[in-house]
Amino acid sequence: MTRTPYDQFAKQYLAELLAPLGEVETSREVAGEVRQVDVWFAPAPAGVEPASERQILGLLGQMASSACLLEPFRNQPAWVEIRSCLLKLFSIHSEMQRKARREENTLPEADLPRLWVLSPSCSPRLLEAFGATADAAGNWPEGVYFLPAAMRTALVAINQLPRTQETLWLRLLGNSSTQRQAVNEVTALPPGHPLLNNILELLSNWRITVEASQNLSDDERELIMNLSPAYLKWREDTLLEGMREGMREERRATINNLLRVRFGALDGELSAIIEPLLQLSPEEFTRLLLTLSREELLAQFGMQNL
């Protein structure tokens, strides 16, 4: 399976989640040979972004507490692919250090961005090859492996992350049963969840894009199955919202017509009471519009009473 549909989804998805926390740039070019960082993130100044936004993202929000590069992979990356990610990281480090020298500033090591390689899995051989180990201090959950400190890089084995709300938004980037479980958790979120609608739409668009491809591979068929619950919920919610909007417009037209029949052309004062009347049931607003005078309607629903 080509990485193009996944890349497109992963970049849009991470940008959507991280945008409230700071500056997000996808496909950022770095100096030297033309290379692009999948997702570059720089947090907003302290106090600008609400703490609640970071808490909602759980582990992803913790990762985005400082400037970072995020490189998501649909399948476990090869060594050469991780080395390419490291090269992009070090190119950005060099850019920042050159800028600091030009401005005669110091650049503390802690201010250098970190690289997060997001992989559906990480084999023991891969971890050993890059010297990646779990966080001994216990500040990071199972599945997060750090390269030696000077590398400022971590590998995230998505399939090893604990199945908690804290890791949900990263587990959506996994595959097979990991992704399937995460999609089911997303569809079970309460209707008022701040991320639900946008994430369902992104997952649905990904499914539609993959389904439109020809000669689907087994991996693509499995992906379509994994995303189907999100697609079905998004379609159902969209249809219901469309029906609600249609009913609202129909009621608006009814109120508009009743006002015109009673009082002729609508002026600003009468137009202003249409919105509050929409909050009533059709039976109630019809009765009021047929019985109350203009003055009584304005007294009850006019701007001075809103």
Side-chain angles (χ1 to χ4, degrees):
M1 173 180 177
T2 61
R3 291 190 63 210
T4 303
Y6 177 78
D7 283 350
Q8 181 181 1
F9 165 75
K11 292 174 185 177
Q12 292 174 339
Y13 171 74
L14 290 169
E16 175 73 26
L17 293 177
L18 295 172
L21 305 185
E23 178 186 352
V24 186
E25 185 178 348
T26 59
S27 301
R28 171 177 170 165
E29 293 191 0
V30 296
E33 180 184 349
V34 178
R35 298 183 184 86
Q36 290 185 335
V37 173
D38 279 355
V39 178
W40 160 261
F41 174 75
V48 174
E49 51 92 3
S52 59
E53 297 282 358
R54 189 175 300 280
Q55 291 172 354
I56 288 173
L57 297 184
L59 180 58
L60 179 59
Q62 184 181 354
M63 291 162 53
S65 61
S66 60
C68 60
L69 291 68
L70 296 134
E71 294 282 346
F73 286 87
R74 177 61 182 161
N75 298 298
Q76 178 177 292
W79 292 6
V80 65
E81 291 176 302
I82 294 180
R83 286 195 292 263
S84 178
C85 293
L86 289 167
L87 185 57
K88 288 184 278 188
L89 174 70
F90 298 150
S91 294
I92 289 180
H93 284 185
S94 296
E95 287 179 23
M96 295 175 67
Q97 288 165 338
R98 286 194 296 270
K99 180 180 178 182
R101 284 196 295 269
R102 286 196 304 269
E103 297 174 354
E104 298 183 350
N105 292 327
T106 58
L107 183 62
E109 183 73 16
D111 288 350
L112 291 172
R114 185 179 295 278
L115 167 65
W116 299 95
V117 178
L118 310 179
S119 173
S121 62
C122 291
S123 67
R125 183 168 178 264
L126 179 72
L127 298 174
E128 181 182 3
F130 286 92
T133 57
D135 174 39
N139 296 320
W140 298 86
E142 181 182 358
V144 180
Y145 299 94
F146 291 89
L147 273 63
M151 308 295 281
R152 295 197 63 77
T153 295
L155 307 180
V156 181
I158 294 174
N159 67 326
Q160 297 180 29
L161 296 175
R163 291 187 175 184
T164 65
Q165 183 66 36
E166 290 287 304
T167 67
L168 173 58
W169 307 110
L170 284 170
R171 287 185 287 117
L172 272 178
L173 292 172
N175 59 22
S176 301
S177 61
T178 299
Q179 183 184 56
R180 187 160 54 250
Q181 170 70 24
V183 168
N184 289 336
E185 290 176 34
V186 168
T187 59
L189 290 172
H193 194 284
L195 298 178
L196 180 59
N197 292 338
N198 289 347
I199 299 308
L200 285 178
E201 183 175 359
L202 286 172
L203 290 169
S204 298
N205 288 339
W206 185 16
R207 181 188 184 277
I208 291 168
T209 300
V210 173
E211 193 172 33
S213 305
Q214 302 200 359
N215 301 320
L216 295 175
S217 66
D218 291 341
D219 184 28
E220 288 168 325
R221 291 190 184 91
E222 180 184 42
L223 175 60
I224 290 171
M225 292 286 289
N226 286 350
L227 299 179
S228 288
Y231 170 72
L232 292 173
K233 180 170 178 56
W234 171 77
R235 189 176 66 176
E236 179 183 351
D237 290 350
T238 302
L239 289 173
L240 287 174
E241 181 59 31
M243 291 173 61
R244 284 193 291 266
E245 186 60 31
M247 292 172 62
R248 183 177 178 83
E249 290 306 311
E250 183 178 334
R251 292 167 63 187
R252 183 187 299 275
T254 300
I255 293 172
N256 193 299
N257 291 336
L258 286 170
L259 286 170
R260 288 181 184 278
V261 168
R262 288 289 311 281
F263 308 111
L266 301 186
D267 56 22
E269 288 183 322
L270 287 174
S271 296
I273 70 172
I274 293 177
E275 199 63 34
L277 283 168
L278 280 171
Q279 311 306 315
L280 305 177
S281 69
E283 294 79 8
E284 189 172 3
F285 70 63
T286 300
R287 178 180 60 81
L288 294 174
L289 288 172
L290 291 176
T291 58
L292 296 184
S293 67
R294 173 190 171 97
E295 290 71 23
E296 289 171 326
L297 286 169
L298 291 178
Q300 188 168 344
F301 300 103
M303 292 297 294
Q304 68 272 18
N305 297 311
L306 300 183

